[in-house]
Amino acid sequence: MFLMRIGPAGEEKPVVRIDEDTYVDVSDVVIDFNEEFFGQGRLPELADLVADRKAAGAVSAFAGERIGSPIARPHQILCIGLNYSDHAAETGQDVPAEPILFTKSPNTLVGPYDDVRIPRGSTKPDWEVELGIVIGQRTSYLNSVEEAANAIAGYVLVNDVSERAFQMERGGQWAKGKSAETFNPCGPWLATADEIQDVKNLDMWLNINGQRRQTGSTSTMIFDPHFIVHHLSQFMVLEPGDLINTGTPPGVGMGFTPPVWLQPDDVMELGISQLGQQRQQVIGAR
């Protein structure tokens, strides 16, 4: 299934995408795609409902509604740094021996076509196309990497927008450069894990103002999604609906000589195969 949330910000309703033109409205049986929904293990039930409604012709046509993040604000957003071998090379840093972990404020989450706002005092705003993991059940101390598959509800496209001066030059954790408002566009849909045949072989790309900046593949991940979930479960409890951003391929702004930073009115377009595309306009500080 492909889960979506459509409607004005704060008033999104849950739907299941059938194709680019149609969806099944499930808002009468699902309050939201949130921690409660995933924690109750309702994906199989929802799949049956959608199949029945689709067979009965109970489908709706998209009519230009705003598309929100496919998940409601999660309990936490966790992020993995330097997780692509070719991205580590462009930054001149060593490949990490184990996943580098940092956090991102959950209130950074916005829809895939919402504006991205540069924060006050920003001098080095940057972009990062990433694969996101959505956790499907309360998870801790997994015994094996293989067990992690059962803990994953699905995958999403995310833009891990960053402010490099805040991240690298302000004497503290990376979260400083990752947690400005609007810094985590997500969607347009969540593809349940069964829809992705090979999560280790997904094409990724990002354009700035129509110019290709990032071209990559999840095949160059250092730590794959199952490894990441197993690893994190040794240090914390992962809650249903939690989002994990898994790192970016080469081509980020700070990797250019000289670096290239986002400016107001820039347009970011990005995508991952099977997970759709995003488009954001950059706006100035408020």
Side-chain angles (χ1 to χ4, degrees):
M1 289 184 296
F2 300 91
L3 311 186
M4 299 181 67
R5 296 165 70 246
I6 62 174
E11 302 177 14
E12 297 93 342
K13 70 176 181 179
V15 304
V16 177
R17 179 185 186 270
I18 302 302
D19 53 38
E20 63 181 18
D21 298 316
T22 60
Y23 65 89
V24 171
D25 187 344
V26 295
S27 60
D28 58 324
V29 294
V30 175
I31 294 175
D32 209 347
F33 295 137
N34 55 14
E35 181 177 351
E36 180 180 10
F37 169 80
F38 292 110
Q40 291 176 346
R42 297 186 62 190
L43 284 173
E45 165 200 337
L46 187 65
D48 291 340
L49 174 71
V50 170
D52 290 344
R53 291 187 175 182
K54 182 180 175 183
V59 300
S60 302
F62 290 108
E65 301 94 340
R66 171 185 172 273
I67 297 175
S69 164
I71 58 171
R73 182 183 297 184
H75 166 259
Q76 61 184 344
I77 299 177
L78 303 170
C79 306
I80 306 299
L82 294 178
N83 192 33
Y84 283 70
S85 55
D86 38 8
H87 174 52
E90 79 168 341
T91 66
Q93 300 183 68
D94 294 333
V95 171
E98 61 180 71
I100 296 172
L101 173 65
F102 60 94
T103 62
K104 192 161 190 162
S105 176
N107 65 8
T108 58
L109 196 71
V110 294
Y113 308 110
D114 292 344
D115 292 338
V116 165
R117 184 180 293 279
I118 294 175
R120 292 183 188 181
S122 170
T123 58
K124 299 178 179 179
D126 205 347
W127 57 82
E128 296 188 23
V129 58
E130 301 200 10
L131 173 73
I133 302 167
V134 177
I135 296 298
Q137 61 187 41
R138 199 167 195 265
T139 300
S140 62
Y141 297 119
L142 291 171
N143 291 317
S144 69
V145 170
E146 290 72 26
E147 284 186 12
N150 294 327
I152 296 173
Y155 300 97
V156 293
L157 166 64
V158 296
N159 187 355
D160 179 22
V161 186
S162 307
E163 211 301 329
R164 302 302 187 186
F166 294 177
Q167 178 186 356
M168 305 293 192
E169 302 168 16
R170 296 300 299 270
Q173 297 296 318
W174 285 12
K176 284 183 178 179
K178 299 286 187 171
S179 293
E181 59 182 329
T182 73
F183 263 27
N184 206 117
C186 181
W189 57 74
L190 179 155
T192 53
D194 60 294
E195 296 284 358
I196 306 298
Q197 293 184 350
D198 186 1
V199 73
K200 301 177 187 179
N201 190 30
L202 301 177
D203 294 330
M204 313 169 72
W205 61 271
L206 180 143
N207 293 343
I208 302 295
N209 300 327
Q211 182 176 1
R212 180 59 52 91
R213 293 298 192 182
Q214 289 188 272
T215 302
S217 168
T218 57
S219 64
T220 67
M221 272 187 170
I222 299 165
F223 307 107
D224 67 51
H226 294 170
F227 183 97
I228 290 169
V229 171
H230 170 264
H231 181 79
L232 295 183
S233 79
Q234 309 308 307
F235 302 96
M236 66 188 71
V237 177
L238 302 174
E239 298 288 358
D242 280 356
L243 175 62
I244 305 171
N245 296 344
T246 60
T248 197
V252 297
M254 71 174 180
F256 288 88
T257 305
V260 179
W261 308 119
L262 291 169
Q263 304 294 328
D265 298 324
D266 281 349
V267 174
M268 296 182 282
E269 296 173 295
L270 56 148
I272 298 179
S273 56
Q274 303 178 59
L275 296 177
Q277 300 183 16
Q278 297 184 359
R279 183 184 189 277
Q280 297 104 33
Q281 181 166 340
V282 179
I283 59 177
R286 62 181 176 87

PDB file of all heavy atoms in Angstrom, residues 257-269:
ATOM      1  N   THR A 257      33.197  22.894  -4.682  1.00  0.00           N
ATOM      2  CA  THR A 257      34.296  23.843  -4.524  1.00  0.00           C
ATOM      3  C   THR A 257      34.124  24.979  -5.519  1.00  0.00           C
ATOM      4  O   THR A 257      34.313  24.776  -6.726  1.00  0.00           O
ATOM      5  CB  THR A 257      35.660  23.165  -4.750  1.00  0.00           C
ATOM      6  OG1 THR A 257      35.767  22.031  -3.870  1.00  0.00           O
ATOM      7  CG2 THR A 257      36.805  24.133  -4.467  1.00  0.00           C
ATOM      8  N   PRO A 258      33.733  26.188  -5.081  1.00  0.00           N
ATOM      9  CA  PRO A 258      33.374  26.518  -3.702  1.00  0.00           C
ATOM     10  C   PRO A 258      32.008  25.942  -3.345  1.00  0.00           C
ATOM     11  O   PRO A 258      31.256  25.537  -4.236  1.00  0.00           O
ATOM     12  CB  PRO A 258      33.352  28.046  -3.719  1.00  0.00           C
ATOM     13  CG  PRO A 258      32.925  28.385  -5.117  1.00  0.00           C
ATOM     14  CD  PRO A 258      33.589  27.351  -5.993  1.00  0.00           C
ATOM     15  N   PRO A 259      31.658  25.897  -2.045  1.00  0.00           N
ATOM     16  CA  PRO A 259      30.346  25.366  -1.655  1.00  0.00           C
ATOM     17  C   PRO A 259      29.204  26.158  -2.287  1.00  0.00           C
ATOM     18  O   PRO A 259      29.347  27.340  -2.612  1.00  0.00           O
ATOM     19  CB  PRO A 259      30.351  25.528  -0.131  1.00  0.00           C
ATOM     20  CG  PRO A 259      31.789  25.593   0.249  1.00  0.00           C
ATOM     21  CD  PRO A 259      32.465  26.301  -0.888  1.00  0.00           C
ATOM     22  N   VAL A 260      28.076  25.488  -2.458  1.00  0.00           N
ATOM     23  CA  VAL A 260      26.864  26.103  -2.999  1.00  0.00           C
ATOM     24  C   VAL A 260      25.795  26.029  -1.922  1.00  0.00           C
ATOM     25  O   VAL A 260      25.478  24.937  -1.441  1.00  0.00           O
ATOM     26  CB  VAL A 260      26.391  25.378  -4.281  1.00  0.00           C
ATOM     27  CG1 VAL A 260      25.112  26.019  -4.802  1.00  0.00           C
ATOM     28  CG2 VAL A 260      27.473  25.385  -5.342  1.00  0.00           C
ATOM     29  N   TRP A 261      25.231  27.171  -1.546  1.00  0.00           N
ATOM     30  CA  TRP A 261      24.231  27.193  -0.479  1.00  0.00           C
ATOM     31  C   TRP A 261      22.872  27.625  -1.028  1.00  0.00           C
ATOM     32  O   TRP A 261      22.795  28.350  -2.021  1.00  0.00           O
ATOM     33  CB  TRP A 261      24.652  28.139   0.642  1.00  0.00           C
ATOM     34  CG  TRP A 261      26.029  27.889   1.170  1.00  0.00           C
ATOM     35  CD1 TRP A 261      27.085  28.755   1.164  1.00  0.00           C
ATOM     36  CD2 TRP A 261      26.521  26.690   1.786  1.00  0.00           C
ATOM     37  NE1 TRP A 261      28.191  28.179   1.738  1.00  0.00           N
ATOM     38  CE2 TRP A 261      27.875  26.905   2.128  1.00  0.00           C
ATOM     39  CE3 TRP A 261      25.949  25.445   2.079  1.00  0.00           C
ATOM     40  CZ2 TRP A 261      28.665  25.942   2.742  1.00  0.00           C
ATOM     41  CZ3 TRP A 261      26.735  24.481   2.689  1.00  0.00           C
ATOM     42  CH2 TRP A 261      28.069  24.733   3.022  1.00  0.00           C
ATOM     43  N   LEU A 262      21.819  27.163  -0.390  1.00  0.00           N
ATOM     44  CA  LEU A 262      20.469  27.538  -0.790  1.00  0.00           C
ATOM     45  C   LEU A 262      20.233  29.031  -0.580  1.00  0.00           C
ATOM     46  O   LEU A 262      20.731  29.621   0.386  1.00  0.00           O
ATOM     47  CB  LEU A 262      19.435  26.740   0.010  1.00  0.00           C
ATOM     48  CG  LEU A 262      19.350  25.245  -0.280  1.00  0.00           C
ATOM     49  CD1 LEU A 262      18.494  24.548   0.768  1.00  0.00           C
ATOM     50  CD2 LEU A 262      18.809  24.998  -1.682  1.00  0.00           C
ATOM     51  N   GLN A 263      19.428  29.608  -1.481  1.00  0.00           N
ATOM     52  CA  GLN A 263      19.061  31.012  -1.421  1.00  0.00           C
ATOM     53  C   GLN A 263      17.540  31.130  -1.526  1.00  0.00           C
ATOM     54  O   GLN A 263      16.879  30.257  -2.094  1.00  0.00           O
ATOM     55  CB  GLN A 263      19.716  31.790  -2.569  1.00  0.00           C
ATOM     56  CG  GLN A 263      21.219  31.676  -2.645  1.00  0.00           C
ATOM     57  CD  GLN A 263      21.928  32.300  -1.473  1.00  0.00           C
ATOM     58  OE1 GLN A 263      21.449  33.293  -0.903  1.00  0.00           O
ATOM     59  NE2 GLN A 263      23.080  31.749  -1.081  1.00  0.00           N
ATOM     60  N   PRO A 264      16.958  32.216  -0.973  1.00  0.00           N
ATOM     61  CA  PRO A 264      15.515  32.412  -1.164  1.00  0.00           C
ATOM     62  C   PRO A 264      15.152  32.366  -2.648  1.00  0.00           C
ATOM     63  O   PRO A 264      15.908  32.840  -3.504  1.00  0.00           O
ATOM     64  CB  PRO A 264      15.285  33.808  -0.568  1.00  0.00           C
ATOM     65  CG  PRO A 264      16.355  33.954   0.463  1.00  0.00           C
ATOM     66  CD  PRO A 264      17.560  33.266  -0.124  1.00  0.00           C
ATOM     67  N   ASP A 265      14.027  31.751  -2.931  1.00  0.00           N
ATOM     68  CA  ASP A 265      13.479  31.555  -4.278  1.00  0.00           C
ATOM     69  C   ASP A 265      14.094  30.380  -5.025  1.00  0.00           C
ATOM     70  O   ASP A 265      13.644  30.054  -6.130  1.00  0.00           O
ATOM     71  CB  ASP A 265      13.578  32.822  -5.145  1.00  0.00           C
ATOM     72  CG  ASP A 265      12.779  33.974  -4.573  1.00  0.00           C
ATOM     73  OD1 ASP A 265      11.694  33.719  -4.006  1.00  0.00           O
ATOM     74  OD2 ASP A 265      13.230  35.129  -4.671  1.00  0.00           O
ATOM     75  N   ASP A 266      15.113  29.719  -4.459  1.00  0.00           N
ATOM     76  CA  ASP A 266      15.590  28.479  -5.063  1.00  0.00           C
ATOM     77  C   ASP A 266      14.471  27.436  -5.034  1.00  0.00           C
ATOM     78  O   ASP A 266      13.601  27.461  -4.155  1.00  0.00           O
ATOM     79  CB  ASP A 266      16.793  27.925  -4.308  1.00  0.00           C
ATOM     80  CG  ASP A 266      18.105  28.631  -4.646  1.00  0.00           C
ATOM     81  OD1 ASP A 266      18.117  29.404  -5.621  1.00  0.00           O
ATOM     82  OD2 ASP A 266      19.099  28.388  -3.940  1.00  0.00           O
ATOM     83  N   VAL A 267      14.517  26.500  -5.970  1.00  0.00           N
ATOM     84  CA  VAL A 267      13.559  25.406  -6.028  1.00  0.00           C
ATOM     85  C   VAL A 267      14.312  24.080  -5.928  1.00  0.00           C
ATOM     86  O   VAL A 267      15.223  23.820  -6.726  1.00  0.00           O
ATOM     87  CB  VAL A 267      12.722  25.447  -7.318  1.00  0.00           C
ATOM     88  CG1 VAL A 267      11.838  24.196  -7.419  1.00  0.00           C
ATOM     89  CG2 VAL A 267      11.860  26.704  -7.358  1.00  0.00           C
ATOM     90  N   MET A 268      13.947  23.288  -4.936  1.00  0.00           N
ATOM     91  CA  MET A 268      14.500  21.946  -4.773  1.00  0.00           C
ATOM     92  C   MET A 268      13.504  20.928  -5.323  1.00  0.00           C
ATOM     93  O   MET A 268      12.332  20.950  -4.955  1.00  0.00           O
ATOM     94  CB  MET A 268      14.776  21.648  -3.294  1.00  0.00           C
ATOM     95  CG  MET A 268      15.818  22.523  -2.654  1.00  0.00           C
ATOM     96  SD  MET A 268      16.151  22.086  -0.914  1.00  0.00           S
ATOM     97  CE  MET A 268      14.727  22.824  -0.100  1.00  0.00           C
ATOM     98  N   GLU A 269      13.970  20.044  -6.179  1.00  0.00           N
ATOM     99  CA  GLU A 269      13.175  18.914  -6.672  1.00  0.00           C
ATOM    100  C   GLU A 269      13.987  17.655  -6.431  1.00  0.00           C
ATOM    101  O   GLU A 269      15.192  17.632  -6.721  1.00  0.00           O
ATOM    102  CB  GLU A 269      12.864  19.083  -8.152  1.00  0.00           C
ATOM    103  CG  GLU A 269      11.998  20.298  -8.464  1.00  0.00           C
ATOM    104  CD  GLU A 269      11.843  20.541  -9.953  1.00  0.00           C
ATOM    105  OE1 GLU A 269      12.868  20.851 -10.598  1.00  0.00           O
ATOM    106  OE2 GLU A 269      10.721  20.410 -10.456  1.00  0.00           O
TER     107      GLU A 269
END
